[in-house]
Amino acid sequence: MNQAASILPVVGAAHWPYPRHIAHRGAGKLAPENTLAAFRHGASFGYRMFEFDVKLSADGKPVLMHDATLDRTTSGAGRVDALTLGELAALDAGGWHSPAYAGEPVPTLAAIARYTRANGFHVNIEIKPVPGNECRTGAAVALDALALWQGADVPPLLSSFSEEALDAARQVAPGLPRALLLDKLPADWPARLRRLGCVALDVNHRALDAAVIAQAHADGFKVLCYTVNDAGRAAELLSWGLDGLITDAVDRLAPQP
Ligand code: G3P
Ligand code: CA
């Protein structure tokens, strides 16, 4: 038995412990993305699962950040992986959004694990490497997640557009569930998921229809999609049996269990 399997419950088609509604980057666009403030805001609307983006600092520490550069969402500039964790800690990751959030720090994965575990929330960690750092990021994030969620009733769901990163995550933490992110659906998507040992497909909702969801379920995969902000489209996808809906619209889409 591998280390992950010994401490984490197995997640898959037979046991899927995650809620259907997942807040995107914490609380979508209502609070500064990928900050603890965003998670608290999403939680205030009843959300109990959060998607967020993780990459590595210069000294290899997993931090929450969507872009490869700091310019859009912090007071810093340049590549995220040019600064150490200590240097990132000095940045303002909230003031760009609105004055009420000025001074919000860049969270570490460890800080988010503490907050979400203390509140019984679930997480979808998107491994989002700075280009060229796929394997190192996949392995480091998975190892950190394994340690941070040790003993948890529900493990974090890892996802990535990078097959290299998912493969690296699988090698160091095979017991952590994985989903392959895709913007479009290539014909061989089931084979790709199988090769990476994924439990779920996580795809742009525009590529989804009832037949794809039915095929995925028949093949033993769960289906998540991003980023659905229209209530009618959300209802349609859920009526087709969608398992996880990632949304910015935490104030308009009431979360289901
Ligand atoms: O995890 C799904 C979704 O977040 C992927 O798109 O650009 O928001 O990270 P992006
Ligand atoms: Ca993301």
Side-chain angles (χ1 to χ4, degrees):
M1 182 180 287
N2 62 57
Q3 185 191 6
S6 68
I7 58 164
L8 292 167
V10 174
V11 167
H15 174 62
W16 188 252
Y18 306 111
R20 279 186 209 283
H21 284 72
I22 304 165
H24 186 221
R25 305 184 196 175
K29 300 179 189 307
L30 298 174
E33 65 187 53
N34 289 317
T35 66
L36 190 51
F39 283 63
R40 292 188 193 282
H41 200 60
S44 76
F45 291 98
Y47 275 72
R48 300 187 59 76
M49 184 162 179
F50 300 87
E51 183 269 359
F52 52 94
D53 308 291
V54 176
K55 44 181 51 74
L56 300 183
S57 62
D59 46 347
K61 307 292 188 222
V63 295
L64 274 65
M65 190 72 57
H66 180 276
D67 298 359
T69 57
L70 297 160
D71 304 58
R72 181 178 65 86
T73 61
T74 77
S75 54
R79 285 171 62 115
V80 178
D81 61 350
L83 298 193
T84 63
L85 187 60
E87 291 166 335
L88 290 170
L91 299 180
D92 176 353
W96 68 274
H97 179 277
S98 48
Y101 292 111
E104 190 65 32
V106 175
T108 58
L109 181 59
I112 293 303
R114 268 195 305 278
Y115 169 74
T116 54
R117 290 195 64 179
N119 287 280
F121 296 151
H122 306 301
V123 298
N124 169 203
I125 303 172
E126 183 189 339
I127 304 169
K128 214 171 188 67
V130 168
N133 215 3
E134 285 80 7
C135 285
R136 186 163 165 258
T137 306
V141 172
L143 275 177
D144 216 28
L146 195 60
L148 292 167
W149 273 268
Q150 186 160 20
D153 291 338
V154 177
L157 174 65
L158 305 181
S159 63
S160 189
F161 287 103
S162 166
E163 296 189 26
E164 271 182 271
L166 283 180
D167 210 15
R170 181 188 196 181
Q171 285 181 36
V172 300
L176 287 179
R178 291 170 301 282
L180 177 61
L181 274 162
L182 292 165
D183 185 45
K184 297 193 164 56
L185 276 181
D188 65 344
W189 68 262
R192 292 188 193 211
L193 265 66
R194 272 190 215 101
R195 188 186 72 75
L196 293 161
C198 288
V199 296
L201 167 69
D202 190 351
V203 66
N204 188 321
H205 77 91
R206 293 182 179 85
L208 271 188
D209 57 26
V212 171
I213 293 175
Q215 182 195 347
H217 286 167
D219 287 352
F221 301 118
K222 295 290 184 179
V223 183
L224 289 78
C225 72
Y226 65 91
T227 304
V228 183
N229 297 329
D230 178 77
R233 178 62 170 158
E236 180 177 54
L237 288 158
L238 292 168
S239 77
W240 293 336
L242 182 75
D243 303 289
L245 181 137
I246 299 172
T247 183
D248 293 321
V250 295
D251 56 336
R252 291 185 290 105
L253 299 187
Q256 297 169 8

